[in-house]
Amino acid sequence: MANQISKQIFKTLLSFFLFVLLLSDTVSSVRKSINLKTPCKQFLLHLHNVAYDSDNTANATSATVINPLGLGSFDFGKFVIFDNPVTMDENCLSKPVARAQGFFFYNKKTTYNTWMAFSLVFNSTQHKGTMAIMDANPMVEPTRDLSIVGGTGDFIMTRGIVTLTTDLIQGNKYFRLKLDIKLYECY
């Protein structure tokens, strides 16, 4: 009888110990601390956009697919798709290290404001994979922070911020954005 009680106590303690071990491993793997002062990766890139205007089919990297609806003077309702080269320097003729592929639409009637969703697609010797970026883009601000909400390849499940700065505007046909990328969750 004493032998059965000790076996029962042993099984109960073993079950409790395994439960605690499992719980502690689950909690520690789910919650990862993120240091917002020190990104785990950071780099600076330049996005080059050439808008289609019926004369530049060969060079265009973006096109309006829905024109403004005429509800105000800030392009409200305009929808643009793009496949823009992204380079390490400001020269649009430099070899691209990535492509920014996605869309944006103008979503405010009182000022220039867009909502963007795009992937940075890397296929170079330095990086392979994608970063998914989406957020509001208040274009009149000197700098805008957009959320990096995930990725694949070298950037699998990454999270962070990309700070956009409009670097150069040439009429309605060309603009360049500086992309300051800070990744805070890297795997």
Side-chain angles (χ1 to χ4, degrees):
M1 177 111 165
N3 194 15
Q4 283 183 325
I5 293 174
S6 64
K7 282 185 181 179
Q8 186 62 30
I9 292 173
F10 177 75
K11 285 182 182 179
T12 305
L13 287 174
L14 183 61
S15 297
F16 177 76
F17 176 75
L18 289 175
F19 176 75
V20 169
L21 183 65
L22 179 65
L23 184 64
S24 66
D25 185 46
T26 302
V27 170
S28 68
S29 66
V30 170
R31 193 68 183 147
K32 181 180 177 183
S33 65
I34 298 173
N35 182 356
L36 295 178
K37 292 182 181 174
T38 309
C40 51
K41 286 185 185 176
Q42 181 174 4
F43 39 99
L44 185 65
L45 300 172
H46 301 272
L47 179 147
H48 306 273
N49 182 83
V50 178
Y52 174 71
D53 69 355
S54 75
D55 290 335
N56 62 347
T57 304
N59 295 329
T61 61
S62 69
T64 300
V65 292
I66 299 175
N67 279 313
L69 304 171
L71 300 172
S73 55
F74 297 100
D75 289 340
F76 180 75
K78 183 177 181 180
F79 193 98
V80 178
I81 58 171
F82 58 89
D83 180 11
N84 295 326
V86 178
T87 62
M88 295 290 288
D89 61 20
E90 296 174 347
N91 186 347
C92 66
L93 299 176
S94 294
K95 184 177 179 185
V97 294
R99 301 217 46 105
Q101 299 171 331
F103 63 89
F104 62 89
F105 54 88
Y106 291 81
N107 63 345
K108 200 164 184 181
K109 293 182 353 181
T110 57
T111 187
Y112 286 106
N113 192 76
T114 63
W115 191 88
M116 302 182 81
F118 64 98
S119 294
L120 276 180
V121 181
F122 292 84
N123 192 12
S124 66
T125 55
Q126 192 173 13
H127 296 291
K128 294 201 183 312
T130 65
M131 272 187 239
I133 299 166
M134 61 177 64
D135 216 330
N137 178 24
M139 298 167 65
V140 294
E141 298 296 324
T143 61
R144 290 90 65 198
D145 289 335
L146 278 67
S147 302
I148 300 171
V149 296
T152 64
D154 293 346
F155 309 104
I156 191 160
M157 297 177 59
T158 194
R159 292 190 305 169
I161 302 258
V162 58
T163 301
L164 301 181
T165 306
T166 304
D167 203 21
L168 176 69
I169 298 175
Q170 292 179 342
N172 292 331
K173 291 188 181 185
Y174 177 80
F175 68 82
R176 182 177 64 221
L177 295 176
K178 191 182 302 181
L179 308 175
D180 185 6
I181 298 171
K182 296 179 186 99
L183 304 179
Y184 294 98
E185 193 164 346
C186 306
Y187 293 95

